[in-house]
């Protein structure tokens, strides 16, 4: 295999996705591994996830690192700890056998995929939440401070709001709606055993386990629970606030259309999230042009790798990749 290949890694709080793409947008190999969030699994954990994923790609494609023209490793919480950054930066070299790579934040993968690397803003609402955009060579981010500080609008945040409503319904501070019964069934809480939910959640020791409860909140909202519906409305408002902060940081001119896209599992709730998101966007002073993501974040990492190599993928190649990822 002599054609240049681009390796993209989209790390996340729940999963890490690896793709190998050629210049025509063909998906040569792909792999999915566990989280590469160093605050959860440690540096050795990240190193193992990356090593396993890269090795899996190379086995599938029948190549070694020399066939990779360039790689981009988008890692969660990258750039948020000056002591951790050089350790993360050093991880890919022994896996590839060369230095044709760059590490960065996973927010770049989401932006590059959703907008195909064009100027504009992407909002991520997955396990965590963050906004990132580029315009005229300038980049900016907002949000993404982590679940302790906020991560407003994320799956983790939605889950915590839902858990809070359950506790209030359980002990009588709120009337019991559909959310109460759905949580009891999901976590197999028998009569008089509501407090067992504390152990089910607190003993998990990872944020992805907590974030998964956002899907329970979504089911409650779809069954008409007013408190669950409010949680998704509040989440949409928080995500729009992140988007608008990025817009201001990028100095979009008054009246200038702002290309905007989205990614992350929270948006898989469809209209439950997108309808209030559009409504809160419309209340902003800017003109947003909301579009569905073109390529998944893992493909965005490969698109960005090609750009870093000085061999950007053509529009046709990106469209083809979008049909695959």
């Amino acid at each position: 295999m002599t054609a240049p290949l681009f390796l993209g890694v989209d790390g996340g709080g729940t999963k890490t996705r690896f793709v190998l793409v050629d210049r025509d947008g063909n998906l040569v190999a792909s792999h999915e591994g566990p989280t590469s969030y160093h605050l959860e699994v440690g540096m050795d954990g990240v190193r193992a996830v990356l090593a396993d994923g890269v090795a899996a790609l190379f086995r599938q494609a029948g190549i070694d690192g020399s066939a990779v023209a360039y790689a981009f490793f988008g890692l969660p919480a990258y750039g948020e700890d000056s002591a951790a950054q050089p350790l993360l930066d050093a991880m890919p070299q022994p896996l590839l056998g060369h230095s044709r790579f760059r590490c960065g934040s996973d927010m770049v993968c989401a932006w590059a995929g959703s907008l195909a690397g064009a100027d504009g803003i992407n909002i991520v609402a997955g396990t965590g939440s963050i906004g990132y955009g580029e315009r005229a060579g300038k980049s900016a981010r907002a949000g993404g401070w982590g679940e302790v500080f906020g991560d407003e609008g994320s799956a983790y945040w939605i889950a915590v709001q839902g858990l809070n409503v359950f506790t209030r319904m359980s002990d009588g501070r709120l009337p019991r709606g559909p959310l109460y019964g759905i949580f009891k069934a999901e976590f197999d809480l028998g009569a008089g055993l509501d407090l067992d939910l504390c152990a089910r959640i607190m003993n998990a020791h990872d944020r992805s386990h907590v974030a998964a409860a956002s899907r329970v909140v979504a089911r409650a909202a779809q069954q008409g629970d007013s408190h669950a519906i409010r949680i998704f409305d509040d989440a949409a408002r928080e995500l729009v606030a992140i988007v608008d902060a990025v817009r201001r940081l990028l100095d979009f001119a008054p009246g200038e259309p702002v290309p905007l896209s989205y990614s992350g599992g929270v948006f898989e709730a469809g209209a439950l999230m997108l309808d209030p998101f559009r409504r809160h966007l419309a209340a902003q002073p800017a003109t947003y042009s909301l579009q569905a993501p073109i390529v998944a974040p893992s493909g965005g990492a490969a698109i960005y790798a090609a750009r870093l190599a000085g061999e950007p993928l053509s529009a046709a190649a990106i469209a083809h990749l979008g049909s695959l990822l």
Side-chain angles (χ1 to χ4, degrees):
M1 190 174 296
T2 57
L5 298 176
F6 306 103
L7 194 161
V9 179
D10 172 42
T14 302
K15 298 176 182 177
T16 302
R17 295 178 173 90
F18 302 76
V19 298
L20 199 60
V21 173
D22 69 16
R23 67 190 316 163
D24 296 320
N26 295 308
L27 185 61
V28 177
S30 64
H31 176 76
E32 184 174 281
T35 178
S36 48
Y37 185 46
H38 71 266
L39 295 175
E40 184 172 311
V41 300
M43 289 299 172
D44 287 342
V46 176
R47 191 174 291 106
V49 169
L50 298 184
D52 290 347
V54 169
L57 288 187
F58 289 175
R59 284 194 302 270
Q60 287 180 43
I63 62 167
D64 60 24
S66 64
V68 176
Y70 213 91
F72 180 71
F73 291 76
L75 302 173
Y78 181 91
E80 297 170 11
D81 182 348
S82 58
Q85 189 162 325
L87 300 176
L88 295 171
D89 283 336
M91 289 184 187
Q93 199 280 333
L95 307 179
L96 299 173
H98 57 73
S99 57
R100 297 189 301 275
F101 69 87
R102 184 181 298 177
C103 294
S105 171
D106 56 328
M107 66 186 178
V108 177
C109 306
W111 163 79
S114 68
L115 294 171
D119 280 1
I121 299 169
N122 184 73
I123 181 70
V124 179
T127 305
S129 62
I130 192 168
Y132 175 80
E134 295 193 7
R135 175 181 175 273
K138 183 177 182 179
S139 64
R141 62 171 279 178
W145 290 84
E147 67 274 13
V148 173
F149 295 91
D151 266 353
E152 297 88 351
S154 68
Y156 189 100
W157 185 90
I158 289 169
V160 169
Q161 309 309 306
L163 290 164
N164 179 263
V165 168
F166 174 84
T167 66
R168 291 169 179 267
M169 288 180 173
S170 176
D171 64 23
R173 287 175 288 165
L174 285 176
R176 291 179 178 177
L179 182 144
Y180 178 75
I182 291 170
F183 263 85
K184 282 186 70 72
E186 176 69 21
F187 290 95
D188 193 24
L189 303 173
L193 296 177
D194 287 6
L195 284 170
D196 279 5
L197 185 58
C198 298
R200 306 282 174 80
I201 296 296
M202 301 304 290
N203 290 342
H205 300 301
D206 69 81
R207 63 180 190 150
S208 60
H209 179 84
V210 175
S214 66
R215 294 192 288 269
V216 186
V217 183
R219 292 206 301 273
Q222 289 157 353
Q223 292 188 27
D225 188 287
S226 61
H227 295 284
I229 292 169
R230 175 188 53 77
I231 289 169
F232 274 87
D233 188 81
D234 289 346
R237 185 178 63 251
E238 293 285 1
L239 294 174
V240 168
I242 294 171
V243 167
D244 211 51
V246 177
R247 175 190 65 83
R248 293 192 300 272
L249 290 168
L250 290 176
D251 297 321
F252 276 90
E256 180 184 357
V258 182
L260 171 65
S261 193
Y262 52 87
S263 55
V266 169
F267 286 102
E268 292 175 6
L272 180 63
M273 171 52 66
L274 284 170
D275 285 354
F277 186 71
R278 290 189 179 98
R279 186 174 68 253
H280 288 295
L281 275 177
Q284 299 303 308
T287 302
Y288 287 100
S289 177
L290 184 64
Q291 65 180 64
I294 297 170
V295 183
S298 56
I303 290 170
Y304 198 66
R307 192 165 92 171
L308 291 171
E311 301 182 50
L313 299 185
S314 68
I318 289 172
H320 179 57
L321 184 60
S323 72
L324 302 174
L325 292 171

